[in-house]
């Protein structure tokens, strides 16, 4: 065994080897050092690190598990509650909202001077939200939310106009006393920040601000006064809010007050003084006030978060670690770590100020908890952040884990968190809701799954106010304030309503999903698999059985087949299995164990001219072969006549040249094509889909909305005429059913607090589904909602769209022209009302989609929202009556080729919701078809099989759902009887005749060979015995 020693590491980094033998753990150690004390010390350190979170090991956050599951419960949105004692608060900075900058003896701050010299619209900042004179309105806003604490800052220059402690400004003192007393009266704890960037101007002009160490003592005097005056009522103190931004933007980039664009040495000198100022105030409080005031103190440290380009790349991970150390570690390591700056920072910047050993001990541990800020100010402007070529991220949970690992699992207060909206947004701050939902749930996950000790959360901010370098160009408040109004009412935004709900429930409760159901579908339920257009082979792939000639290959080295003259072989009639592609399909379907197979014909191949003048009989024969061979597997076919996509419209060339679906003659051509298919294939097909997703052809006919509506109108007529042909000419003896398949995703209002979003969601369903479903299943005409809304936009001059009108004959033709409702459902769309101008179908319904970042989603960004399928099924039943429903496509893309866990999760959850709709809501669901059989190259991976026909684990998962016919409890009501089991065995025998015959021949040959061998061995033994006896006799 080789001894390994590493120089320059703690305790010389002993290397230990473990081996397990015969159930016993054998411990072998090789130490570079002889003293037992060092051995004990090392393992004591290891034990402490494990218990406290492995301090200094933050880089391990980026080392991802190679077997990480995309559907791990620990990574998905968590419905749970926070600890009972968890603190909910809201925060605000004095300069942002107080206003009254010259009122009642207040002195000027660096920000007062900065905005009046640097900002064009300086006058508008004087009043802001005017919290100084409208305190009662702020308190009412706090009452509305139901928070347990309010984090606010004291304006240093409002108490002491020059910054130097002398006789305080009585009006300012009265304001803060009233604020604190009013909070306590409401059982709201004040969390008081001493310094939130508004340094008294006099200190900047006289001393140079935080560049001068003299300000440290002046700050301590100011803090002492606050402790003496307010400390009996304040239990949580913050010394400085986000010192990184003070140093970096105040004295470096110059985008914050005092606006200095100094040298990098100045930036780090300012940071050094801020750390020392904090430490001095902390020791002051600890020694003179905490013993009887019993309060706690910290400093708010802010940071971004960053992810490596490649999680397996050690260099990228090191760059991420360096990025965090340059921002958060700059202040956190001295205060929450060992009292000194990160090694990387010291090595990089030789000019970095140095702490003496006494200073290290003085600074180290000067915080009773870790107060953390994570918001837009920590990310903007992005070009000022040390990204090190890596990627910025908003993953709050990850940065909390980094803090835990770097700084010995501290208690953490989220002291600032939230996002922003544009200045024109008033109360409908929907984006802020989803950001809040994501951030707070990440905190909950960190508490529940990672054992991180987060004890409180501060939403930022209470009111709209002055947002530093952005002035009033963005808003961050939970309450909207019209700065130009006199009353400046605090109007709750939707984010305020949402935060109030979270506080009331102390977490998140699922509102849409219900407990899993143990039940089964009906015994005649159709379990299917969907495929898109089958490309027919015009010539059989195996012609050797119908060609009597014998061929030799490559006899001259030319790689060609050469006919052998004069030799004729026996032939047989052509068979369907001569097509290799059919063999492959049969093999895949057999593995799927489905009862139904949905696929589409290629209209342009069957009728290349678009009419009956040329019929490709070979292609028709191919499709008939598919259907007949599939039937031999006891699998019924659901055949789609026309399957257009955005990339391939699928029309015969001549029809495309005459305008496609903009030309009504295409509808009549489709009628002839459908009649041909019914005649040639209908004896084998019981379920027909005329057109797949005609409500998605707006992506193709999008030159104008009128083009879109005209094409849709002709598609409806085409479908209705095809249905009528079948109903009148073929149904009586073919006994099939015909419908069309509509894309039917559910729409959910993105913001449940706004009626306009609910109306937008309903409007989406009418424009997306009702557009085709209403004429067929309801009225024979387009939805009234659709006509009325387009008319409303026309009258406003916002659109010149016009829906076509049905004649009375067309209404009669279309109404009722379907035997069942067929839907393709993939996801749920979160819908926002967004007024739009222009004559486009997409503009007519005035909606935008929002991506819920808290939802599990696929690589193509399909949100996994299982309850959406149940909602849309209930909506169809409510809107169109108790009709038969087939789910003709449902699935998700999954990048994995060998472990498609996302697809398994999706199937299990969605089919569970379909079962609830069937069993609880009594929706007449007749079948479920998973999408899709095989995936296509260079496209999202929706397939159960790869393009090379390799099966994925989801095949077996779907098999189990089919064999159980749902989610049975202890037994299945649909178990096949003994006779049926016997028949399935017979079916297997009949399908595998050639293989079984070959196996029998091989087995017989082996038996014969063994018999001959045994016979000859026995014969040789007899001869040997006879010769032996003869020799004995002769010798005798």
């Amino acid at each position: 065994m080789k001894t390994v020693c590493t120089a320059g590491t703690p305790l010389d980094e002993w290397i230990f080897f473990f081996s397990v033998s015969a159930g016993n753990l054998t411990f072998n150690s090789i130490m570079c050092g002889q003293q037992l004390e060092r051995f004990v010390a090392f393992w004591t350190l290891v034990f402490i690190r494990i218990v406290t979170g492995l301090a200094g090991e933050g880089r391990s956050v980026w080392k991802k598990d190679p077997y990480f599951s995309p559907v791990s419960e620990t990574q998905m949105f968590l419905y749970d509650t926070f600890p009972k004692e968890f603190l909910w608060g809201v925060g605000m900075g004095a300069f942002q909202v107080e206003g009254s900058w010259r009122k009642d003896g207040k002195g000027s701050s660096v920000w007062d001077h900065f905005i009046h010299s640097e900002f064009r619209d300086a006058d508008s900042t004087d009043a802001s939200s005017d919290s100084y004179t409208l305190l009662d309105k702020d308190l009412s806003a706090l009452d509305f939310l139901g928070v347990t604490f309010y984090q606010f800052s004291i304006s240093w220059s409002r108490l002491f106009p020059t910054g130097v402690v002398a006789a305080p400004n009585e009006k300012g003192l009265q304001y803060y006393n009233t604020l604190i007393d009013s909070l306590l009266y409401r059982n709201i704890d004040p969390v008081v920040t001493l310094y939130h960037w508004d340094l008294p101007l006099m200190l900047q002009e006289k001393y140079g601000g935080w560049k001068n160490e003299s300000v440290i003592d002046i700050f301590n005097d100011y803090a002492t006064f606050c402790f003496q005056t307010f400390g009996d009522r304040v239990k949580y103190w913050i010394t400085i809010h986000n010192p990184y931004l003070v140093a970096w933007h105040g004295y470096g980039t110059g985008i914050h007050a005092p606006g200095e664009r100094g040298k990098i040495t100045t930036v780090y000198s300012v940071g050094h003084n801020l750390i020392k100022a904090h430490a001095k105030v902390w020791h002051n409080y600890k020694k003179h006030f905490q013993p009887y005031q019993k309060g706690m103190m910290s400093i708010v440290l802010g940071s971004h978060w960053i992810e490596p380009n490649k999680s397996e790349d050690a260099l990228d991970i090191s760059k991420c670690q360096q990025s965090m150390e340059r921002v958060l570690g700059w202040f956190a390591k001295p205060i929450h770590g060992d009292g000194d700056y990160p090694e990387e920072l010291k090595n990089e910047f030789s000019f970095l100020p140095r702490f003496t050993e006494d200073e290290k001990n003085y600074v180290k541990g000067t915080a009773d908890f870790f107060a953390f800020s994570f918001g837009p100010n920590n990310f903007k402007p992005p070009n000022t952040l040390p990204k090190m070529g890596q990627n910025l991220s908003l993953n709050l949970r990850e940065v909390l884990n980094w803090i835990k690992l770097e700084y010995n699992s501290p208690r953490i207060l989220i002291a600032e968190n939230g996002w922003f909206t544009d200045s024109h947004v008033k109360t409908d701050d929907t984006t802020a809701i989803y950001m809040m939902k994501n951030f707070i749930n990440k905190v909950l996950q960190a508490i529940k799954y990672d054992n991180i000790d987060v004890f409180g959360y501060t939403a930022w901010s209470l009111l709209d106010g002055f947002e530093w370098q952005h002035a009033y160009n963005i808003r961050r408040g939970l309450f909207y304030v019209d700065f130009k109004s006199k009353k400046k009412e605090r109007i709750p935004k939707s984010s305020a309503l949402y935060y109030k709900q979270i506080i009331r429930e102390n977490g998140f409760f699922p509102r849409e999903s219900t407990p899993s159901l143990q039940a089964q579908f009906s015994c005649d339920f159709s379990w299917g698999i969907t495929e898109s257009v089958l490309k027919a082979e015009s010539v059989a792939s195996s012609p050797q059985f119908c060609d009597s000639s014998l061929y030799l290959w490559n006899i001259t080295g030319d790689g060609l087949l050469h006919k052998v003259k004069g030799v004729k072989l026996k032939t047989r009639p052509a068979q369907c299995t001569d097509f290799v592609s059919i063999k492959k399909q049969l093999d895949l379907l057999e593995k799927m164990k489905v009862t139904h197979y949905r696929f589409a014909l290629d209209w342009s191949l069957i009728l290349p001219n678009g009419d009956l003048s040329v019929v490709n009989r070979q292609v028709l024969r191919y499709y008939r072969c598919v259907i007949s061979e599939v039937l031999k597997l006891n699998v019924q076919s659901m055949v789609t006549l026309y399957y257009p996509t955005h990339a391939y419209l699928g029309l015969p060339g001549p029809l495309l040249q005459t305008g496609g679906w903009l030309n009504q003659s295409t509808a009549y051509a489709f009628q002839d094509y459908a009649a041909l298919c019914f005649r040639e294939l209908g004896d084998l097909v019981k379920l027909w889909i005329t057109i797949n997703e005609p409500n998605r052809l707006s992506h193709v006919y999008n030159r104008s909305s009128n083009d879109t509506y005209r094409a849709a109108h002709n598609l409806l007529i085409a479908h209705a005429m095809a249905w009528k042909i079948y109903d009148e000419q073929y149904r009586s003896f073919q006994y099939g059913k015909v419908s069309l398949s509509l894309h039917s995703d559910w729409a959910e209002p993105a913001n449940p607090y706004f009626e306009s979003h609910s109306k937008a969601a309903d409007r989406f369903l009418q424009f997306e589904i009702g557009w085709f479903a209403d004429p067929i299943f309801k009225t024979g005409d387009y939805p009234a909602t659709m006509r009325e809304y387009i008319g409303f936009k026309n009258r406003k001059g916002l659109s010149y769209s016009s829906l076509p009108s049905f004649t009375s004959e067309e209404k009669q033709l279309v109404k009722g022209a379907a035997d069942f409702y067929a839907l393709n459902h993939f996801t749920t769309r979160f819908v926002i009302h967004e007024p739009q101008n222009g004559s486009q179908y997409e503009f007519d319904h005035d909606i935008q989609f929002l991506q819920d970042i808290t939802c599990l989603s696929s690589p193509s960004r399909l949100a996994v929202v299982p309850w959406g399928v149940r909602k849309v099924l209930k909506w169809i039943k409510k809107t169109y009556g108790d009709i038969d429903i087939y789910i003709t496509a449902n699935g998700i893309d999954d990048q994995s080729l060998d472990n498609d866990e996302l697809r398994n999760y999706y199937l299990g959850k969605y089919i569970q919701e379909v079962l609830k709709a069937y069993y609880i809501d009594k929706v007449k669901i007749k079948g479920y078809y998973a999408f899709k059989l095989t995936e296509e190259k260079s496209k999202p991976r929706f397939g159960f099989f790869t393009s090379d026909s390799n099966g994925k684990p989801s095949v077996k998962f779907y098999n189990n759902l089919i064999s159980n016919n749902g989610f049975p409890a202890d037994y299945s009501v649909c178990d096949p009887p003994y006779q049926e089991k016997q028949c399935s065995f017979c079916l297997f025998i009949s399908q595998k005749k050639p293989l079984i015959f070959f196996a029998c021949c091989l087995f017989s040959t082996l038996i014969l060979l063994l018999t001959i061998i045994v016979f000859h061995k026995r014969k040789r033994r007899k001869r040997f015995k006879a010769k032996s006896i003869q020799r004995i006799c002769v010798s005798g």
Side-chain angles (χ1 to χ4, degrees), residues 365-484:
T366 56
D368 299 317
F369 54 91
F370 198 114
F372 182 58
S373 163
F374 194 72
N377 289 328
N378 301 303
F379 288 86
K380 299 175 75 175
N383 62 334
T384 65
L385 286 166
K387 291 180 287 194
M388 316 290 287
Q390 308 306 304
N391 306 304
L392 293 175
S393 167
L394 295 175
N395 195 326
L396 178 53
R397 178 181 175 186
E398 294 281 270
V399 71
L400 290 174
N401 270 280
W402 190 86
I403 291 169
K404 172 188 176 182
L405 293 170
E406 282 287 319
Y407 305 115
N408 289 327
S409 298
R411 295 193 76 215
I412 300 173
L413 169 70
I414 307 297
E416 177 189 1
N417 183 234
W419 210 242
F420 66 92
T421 60
D422 292 333
S423 58
H424 69 270
V425 176
K426 294 184 178 180
T427 55
D428 183 2
D429 60 339
T430 304
T431 304
I433 285 182
Y434 284 88
M435 295 299 288
M436 177 183 284
K437 178 183 178 184
N438 178 52
F439 285 137
I440 296 178
N441 201 258
K442 291 295 184 186
V443 175
L444 181 60
Q445 291 172 32
I447 293 170
K448 296 292 183 177
Y449 295 138
D450 307 327
N451 297 314
I452 297 175
D453 188 7
V454 183
F455 68 90
Y457 177 88
T458 312
W460 204 274
S461 58
L462 177 65
L463 311 174
D464 288 336
F466 180 77
E467 291 300 335
W468 312 113
Q469 74 268 26
H470 303 289
Y472 292 99
N473 294 318
I474 65 171
R475 293 177 179 268
R476 290 190 66 189
L478 296 176
F479 287 80
Y480 170 77
V481 178
D482 181 355
F483 303 120
K484 294 180 180 179

Side-chain angles (χ1 to χ4, degrees), residues 681-697:
L681 307 174
D683 59 318
L684 301 178
V685 179
K686 302 304 175 192
L687 293 169
W688 292 94
I689 298 294
T690 56
I691 305 167
N692 184 69
E693 297 190 351
N695 53 340
R696 280 301 172 99
L697 275 183

Side-chain angles (χ1 to χ4, degrees), residues 201-214:
L201 182 62
M202 189 72 72
L203 299 183
Q204 180 65 33
E205 293 176 340
K206 184 175 181 180
Y207 297 100
W210 288 108
K211 293 182 294 186
N212 194 322
E213 287 193 29
S214 300

